[in-house]
Amino acid sequence: MPETGSSIALIPVSFFDPASAREALARTVELKEDEEVEYISIPEYSAVLVYSFSAASPEGKEYPEMYHLLKALPGIGEYNKIAASYDGSFLHLAIAQGGNLLLSNVFRAADFTTAEYFLFMAVKKLQMNPEVSSVFFRSPLSEAEEMSLYRYFKSVEKL
């Protein structure tokens, strides 16, 4: 997974203007001159995901990790929907209850323990009980990482 952790913004569709997509993203992250800005609709949550990528990147115009997490949330059959991925540098986290999106964020995390901290902090802030919630990871987890999560969550699943 490429390190594109923080170059996204999720904007309610009612506030989104395609002509100012770059400006909207630049309000949340520092953009480099060679970064191109694109956007994609997330109709499930009446939002638009604005993201950047380097024109020189070999990955090109791949969708950001958050797009995949947001699209996976509706397919999770539980009321508490927790979708995450960790690429070694960033924790991507999307959380919904029922059909309501509660959180879509990216956290810089140098190690998995730090990623877990952000995951637990978000779940606690949203007043979710991890003991009755499953966490769904899109990225692969080591056996130790999976077992660490099992101590807190009802189950650890793969997306």
Side-chain angles (χ1 to χ4, degrees):
M1 237 178 273
E3 277 192 24
T4 57
S6 57
S7 300
I8 63 166
L10 191 63
I11 301 171
V13 73
S14 58
F15 294 109
F16 180 68
D17 173 16
S20 61
R22 184 177 187 86
E23 178 186 331
L25 186 58
R27 284 188 219 130
T28 61
V29 297
E30 188 174 322
L31 293 174
K32 298 176 185 145
E33 276 189 42
D34 72 334
E35 285 183 288
E36 294 186 29
V37 173
E38 294 282 333
Y39 58 89
I40 186 163
S41 177
I42 310 290
E44 299 88 342
Y45 299 110
S46 301
V48 176
L49 184 67
V50 182
Y51 62 97
S52 69
F53 60 92
S54 171
S57 169
E59 291 88 20
K61 292 186 179 186
E62 283 187 10
Y63 291 136
E65 184 63 16
M66 188 57 69
Y67 170 79
H68 299 290
L69 295 178
L70 291 169
K71 294 305 262 185
L73 283 177
I76 295 173
E78 300 185 13
Y79 181 69
N80 290 341
K81 302 168 189 293
I82 304 168
S85 67
Y86 178 64
D87 66 6
S89 298
F90 295 97
L91 171 70
H92 299 78
L93 184 59
I95 300 177
Q97 278 187 324
N100 297 318
L101 182 65
L102 302 178
L103 178 95
S104 170
N105 209 341
V106 181
F107 302 91
R108 184 176 297 277
D111 53 49
F112 193 74
T113 301
T114 304
E116 281 182 309
Y117 167 80
F118 286 120
L119 173 60
F120 298 140
M121 180 187 66
V123 167
K124 182 179 179 181
K125 277 285 192 194
L126 295 171
Q127 299 181 346
M128 294 176 134
N129 182 353
E131 294 175 0
V132 298
S133 304
S134 298
V135 61
F136 292 77
F137 263 80
R138 197 172 114 78
S139 59
L141 295 172
S142 71
E143 189 175 319
E145 292 167 342
E146 193 170 329
M147 292 312 296
S148 179
L149 290 167
Y150 263 115
R151 290 186 297 183
Y152 304 98
F153 288 94
K154 175 178 84 173
S155 71
V156 180
E157 307 290 336
K158 292 180 175 54
L159 283 175

